[in-house]
Amino acid sequence: MGKGKSKVVCGYPLSIFFIVVNEFCERFSYYGMRAVLVLYFKYFLRWDDDLATSIYHTFVALCYLTPILGAIVADSWLGKFKTIIYLSIVYAVGQVAMAVSAIHDITDSDRDGTPDSMTFHIVLSMVGLFLIALGTGGIKPCVAAFGGDQFGEHQDRQRRTFFSVFYLCINGGSLLSTIITPVLRAQECGIYSKQKCYSLAFGVPAALMVVALVVFIIGSGMYYKAEPQGNIMLDVCKCIGFAIKNRYRHRSKQYPKRQHWMDWAEEKYDKLLIAQIKMVLKVLFLYIPLPMFWTLFDQKGSRWTLQATTMDGNFGALVIQPDQMQTVNPILILTLVPIMDSLIYPLIKKCGLNFTPLKRMTVGMLLAAIAFVCAALVQIQIDVSTKQLLHSSPYILSGQGFIYFKLTIKGKANSDSTTVHNTDKATFTLRSGSQSCEYSTNFGFGSSYTFFIHSTLVFGSNCQDSVTAVEDIKPNSVHMALQIPQYFFITAGEVMFSVTGLEFSYSQAPSNMKAVLQAGWLFTVAIGNFIVLIVAELAKIPKQWAEYVLFASLLVAVCVIFSIMAYFYTYIDPTEIEAQFKKKINEDDEDDKSKPGKAEVEMVKRDSIKCHDEYDKATQTKM
Ligand SMILES: CC(C)C[C@H](NC(=O)[C@@H](N)Cc1ccccc1)C(=O)O
């Protein structure tokens, strides 16, 4: 039985249907907007590459910092349900602001197709992005935890499946949107003049966010809504502060040691709260090495995409652009999650192996390290096949009777650029006044040519014979398909690490701090992103393959540390511990009534010993 008023379908509360659909639409909205964001900065706001990249990364990092805010509001004030509703409204407003900011006609009074007041568009889009970061980050820890809340105490298996399906929805939504929004952006639209349609590319994600909100509200009557339990974060901070102060006051040897430093808060704070803080601190401590995984994981969007630009994306009938390679990740997620859940994990269990969550996460980290070794091997191949400069143009200038022009073919996914996009055959029109002739030739990814046009060219005739193409830079010869193994390993790692971590963060959190621990989990993603920026700035390793190997080695080292920490971690059942504490506190209350005048110090000591016993009983399983 689920916990809410929801009907149960095949053992699952019906309410979770609304939650997973909400997640699907929200992730569509988020990833769809993100997919075209850098191009919007570059081609609409006319920022340079560096500014566009920095603002983009700052936005992504902010999206993973705001979960803390959302979790605090949810767990201590509004509850998860209301927090999701209010922040979804903020989020949808942000998306609408982005869509409006991309309508060039608003400030295009001279109707020349370019906005006249860029400040208006910049300010509106920055406000929009801030609201989106607040919304998407704020609701992120709440939606996952709210979904988990819908399951009863004895529905561990169903809850685990829910987290897998939840992850599938994230990737289903993001896959669709990363395919659709670039297509929408490439359309031309406008009232006075036709321009690339960023407003539509942002407008559709905005509409999907409204759909997400409506779907979530429709399920309203079915949800189990846990009540927020006061300002829990403030209580936690005060309790930790008191424990530290009290420990310092009693540092002399005459005071007997206590089992845990948090026990020094017992004089003033509820033992249940102390036990809950211990649970959270144990998990947060375990999170310390985790950002390194995200450091590697998030380089899919940067380093690996740049690597793809030096590769050949010609897949026969299909020409894949470098940034489109990223869609391999959600495609593999959609395949691997069901395979893992229904085949691999049950098989491992059948073999008698206890593949605990922390073991899965450790293996996930190792797989990510292997992915980076694969990336290094591909990089070495690319370097070996490095394009040679066959001719340099100033040298050619000495030729007589020719004019020349240089053309570079890049494997880029944007059609705003004047670069010719990876085409098998391109046709150029040579014009002089009203006369013209056409020249066609074949190109490869990443190649560069100098075309020599003979001064004796006669228009009207076939100019094919009057143009000579000289290959300056050879086309990319290493195929993009070689990136598939690294995508496979990083995604298999993601399934083991991220899907498991999401569920682990929920199951190990005390009832009043579920969203807070989800936010802690997402915080590791934010730190991971900052590490990418720092390492990229500081390390400055000249060879890209060596940087990949460095990252892989760092992750292996961190993985060893994590496995040691995980070995000493004891799994807990927060619900059971909380129930035992509540029961014991009730018994003590009864005792106190029947035995008045007992020395308080003695009572605290005895309670403390009893509490530890309860806590120890409930924390038996290791890694
Ligand atoms: C990082 C987040 C904690 C996890 C999750 N992301 C994913 O599931 C990615 N596989 C999605 C993706 C889609 C397209 C391109 C790259 C990544 C999330 O967004 O919640």
Side-chain angles (χ1 to χ4, degrees):
M1 268 294 281
K3 286 198 284 192
K5 295 158 240 166
S6 172
K7 271 188 199 160
V8 175
V9 181
C10 304
Y12 292 85
L14 185 62
S15 55
I16 59 156
F17 167 78
F18 297 92
I19 296 170
V20 293
V21 174
N22 165 274
E23 184 67 11
F24 178 91
C25 298
E26 187 276 322
R27 287 288 96 182
F28 182 110
S29 181
Y30 173 73
Y31 280 104
M33 183 275 306
R34 225 178 80 162
V36 294
L37 195 56
V38 173
L39 298 184
Y40 168 75
F41 289 157
K42 190 169 170 172
Y43 297 107
F44 190 96
L45 299 184
R46 302 194 184 273
W47 288 351
D48 62 29
D49 280 11
D50 287 346
L51 182 60
T53 313
S54 321
I55 300 291
Y56 173 82
H57 280 294
T58 311
F59 166 70
V60 174
L62 199 63
C63 290
Y64 288 107
L65 285 177
T66 46
I68 297 180
L69 214 72
I72 293 174
V73 171
D75 278 351
S76 52
W77 178 30
L78 289 177
K80 295 179 197 93
F81 177 74
K82 282 189 188 157
T83 308
I84 294 170
I85 301 271
Y86 294 154
L87 286 179
S88 293
I89 295 171
V90 171
Y91 189 168
V93 171
Q95 290 282 32
V96 171
M98 282 304 287
V100 175
S101 81
I103 304 176
H104 63 275
D105 290 308
I106 295 180
T107 62
D108 186 15
S109 37
D110 57 6
R111 301 184 180 187
D112 67 347
T114 46
D116 297 335
S117 163
M118 209 46 109
T119 319
F120 166 82
H121 297 276
I122 293 175
V123 170
L124 192 58
S125 56
M126 291 305 105
V127 170
L129 285 182
F130 178 76
L131 295 179
I132 293 169
L134 200 66
T136 188
I139 64 172
K140 191 124 186 68
C142 303
V143 179
F146 190 65
D149 285 353
Q150 306 308 310
F151 293 88
E153 279 168 29
H154 304 293
Q155 289 187 299
D156 282 0
R157 186 184 58 78
Q158 286 93 333
R159 200 179 53 218
R160 259 199 306 278
T161 310
F162 159 74
F163 278 111
S164 294
V165 174
F166 189 77
Y167 217 85
L168 287 180
C169 287
I170 290 175
N171 285 275
S174 59
L175 173 63
L176 270 189
S177 66
T178 38
I179 292 172
I180 293 173
T181 50
V183 176
L184 298 177
R185 177 196 63 81
Q187 309 304 309
E188 304 228 311
C189 63
I191 307 164
Y192 307 127
S193 60
K194 302 280 178 224
Q195 294 295 327
K196 292 275 173 264
C197 210
Y198 288 98
S199 49
L200 186 63
F202 291 140
V204 171
L208 258 288
M209 194 51 223
V210 175
V211 174
L213 179 61
V214 171
V215 169
F216 188 71
I217 293 173
I218 293 174
S220 174
M222 294 179 214
Y223 302 131
Y224 165 76
K225 297 170 194 157
E227 282 298 314
Q229 298 172 17
N231 198 341
I232 187 73
M233 282 313 286
L234 191 69
D235 290 347
V236 168
C237 294
K238 280 185 181 167
C239 184
I240 293 176
F242 179 79
I244 295 170
K245 253 195 299 182
N246 203 27
R247 171 74 191 89
Y248 185 73
R249 261 195 244 125
H250 298 88
R251 61 188 179 281
S252 140
K253 283 208 172 104
Q254 74 186 84
Y255 298 105
K257 277 193 174 166
R258 296 188 187 179
Q259 228 176 5
H260 191 284
W261 63 269
M262 269 310 298
D263 295 333
W264 287 96
E266 278 174 351
E267 276 86 339
K268 194 169 167 189
Y269 286 90
D270 186 24
K271 289 173 192 66
L272 177 59
L273 178 69
I274 295 172
Q276 288 169 328
I277 295 176
K278 283 184 196 171
M279 295 178 214
V280 170
L281 289 180
K282 256 175 65 162
V283 179
L284 288 182
F285 178 68
L286 205 59
Y287 281 175
I288 293 172
L290 304 190
M292 203 60 213
F293 173 86
W294 300 114
T295 301
L296 273 74
F297 180 78
D298 277 330
Q299 290 188 49
K300 289 190 318 308
S302 50
R303 289 278 194 256
W304 286 15
T305 305
L306 291 175
Q307 184 182 61
T309 62
T310 62
M311 301 175 84
D312 177 10
N314 205 333
F315 283 77
L318 208 66
V319 174
I320 300 288
Q321 301 297 340
D323 43 1
Q324 286 178 326
M325 270 309 277
Q326 278 194 71
T327 54
V328 173
N329 170 266
I331 292 171
L332 281 174
I333 287 276
L334 294 175
T335 330
L336 287 178
V337 169
I339 293 178
M340 291 287 196
D341 278 355
S342 55
L343 208 77
I344 310 287
Y345 292 150
L347 215 69
I348 293 175
K349 202 173 171 189
K350 263 203 178 142
C351 295
L353 291 170
N354 186 13
F355 202 29
T356 59
L358 293 180
K359 281 184 190 160
R360 287 180 199 184
M361 289 169 74
T362 312
V363 174
M365 283 176 151
L366 286 177
L367 289 173
I370 294 174
F372 265 61
V373 173
C374 293
L377 292 176
V378 170
Q379 192 60 48
I380 291 170
Q381 276 237 251
I382 294 170
D383 293 349
V384 167
S385 70
T386 303
K387 300 142 198 111
Q388 296 150 3
L389 202 61
L390 300 177
H391 298 277
S392 67
S393 302
Y395 167 75
I396 298 293
L397 267 180
S398 60
Q400 288 161 15
F402 290 100
I403 56 166
Y404 76 93
F405 67 95
K406 203 176 190 110
L407 176 74
T408 308
I409 311 299
K410 285 182 185 162
K412 272 195 175 175
N414 78 71
S415 50
D416 290 71
S417 150
T418 48
T419 307
V420 174
H421 295 281
N422 177 55
T423 44
D424 281 331
K425 192 151 193 120
T427 304
F428 303 95
T429 308
L430 306 178
R431 256 193 211 100
S432 171
S434 57
Q435 290 187 306
S436 68
C437 70
E438 290 203 332
Y439 172 80
S440 308
T441 190
N442 290 322
F443 297 114
F445 256 90
S447 53
S448 179
Y449 298 86
T450 302
F451 292 95
F452 296 91
I453 304 165
H454 204 278
S455 52
T456 58
L457 170 75
V458 180
F459 284 101
S461 70
N462 182 4
C463 61
Q464 207 73 23
D465 300 333
S466 309
V467 177
T468 312
V470 175
E471 192 180 66
D472 288 343
I473 299 176
K474 282 182 178 171
N476 300 336
S477 57
V478 181
H479 203 272
M480 257 185 226
L482 284 187
Q483 276 197 326
I484 290 174
Q486 68 203 55
Y487 269 99
F488 174 81
F489 283 114
I490 201 94
T491 312
E494 181 188 353
V495 174
M496 294 211 167
F497 182 88
S498 186
V499 183
T500 312
L502 191 69
E503 205 273 329
F504 175 81
S505 307
Y506 181 88
S507 67
Q508 298 299 290
S511 58
N512 51 353
M513 294 181 222
K514 299 271 184 208
V516 170
L517 258 195
Q518 287 293 323
W521 168 252
L522 294 169
F523 187 65
T524 64
V525 184
I527 303 289
N529 273 283
F530 283 124
I531 297 177
V532 182
L533 292 176
I534 295 167
V535 175
E537 268 305 305
L538 294 184
K540 294 240 185 297
I541 297 173
K543 290 274 172 223
Q544 187 53 57
W545 66 264
E547 191 183 290
Y548 288 142
V549 173
L550 171 76
F551 276 118
S553 322
L554 282 175
L555 188 58
V556 170
V558 163
C559 182
V560 171
I561 297 171
F562 178 72
S563 58
I564 296 169
M565 289 164 79
Y567 178 78
F568 291 103
Y569 183 84
T570 40
Y571 290 91
I572 54 165
D573 181 348
T575 330
E576 197 187 317
I577 295 176
E578 286 167 354
Q580 285 170 355
F581 267 87
K582 280 173 193 157
K583 194 173 145 218
K584 198 191 69 58
I585 286 165
N586 286 342
E587 283 169 8
D588 287 350
D589 284 351
E590 294 300 315
D591 263 15
D592 288 349
K593 275 179 211 156
S594 58
K595 298 173 194 164
K598 237 177 159 209
E600 201 185 317
V601 178
E602 258 180 56
M603 200 179 89
V604 167
K605 251 193 197 165
R606 189 208 56 201
D607 282 352
S608 167
I609 292 163
K610 260 193 176 183
C611 286
H612 293 312
D613 290 349
E614 307 296 347
Y615 191 82
D616 290 345
K617 256 188 263 161
T619 57
Q620 294 305 320
T621 346
K622 281 208 179 228
M623 188 177 179

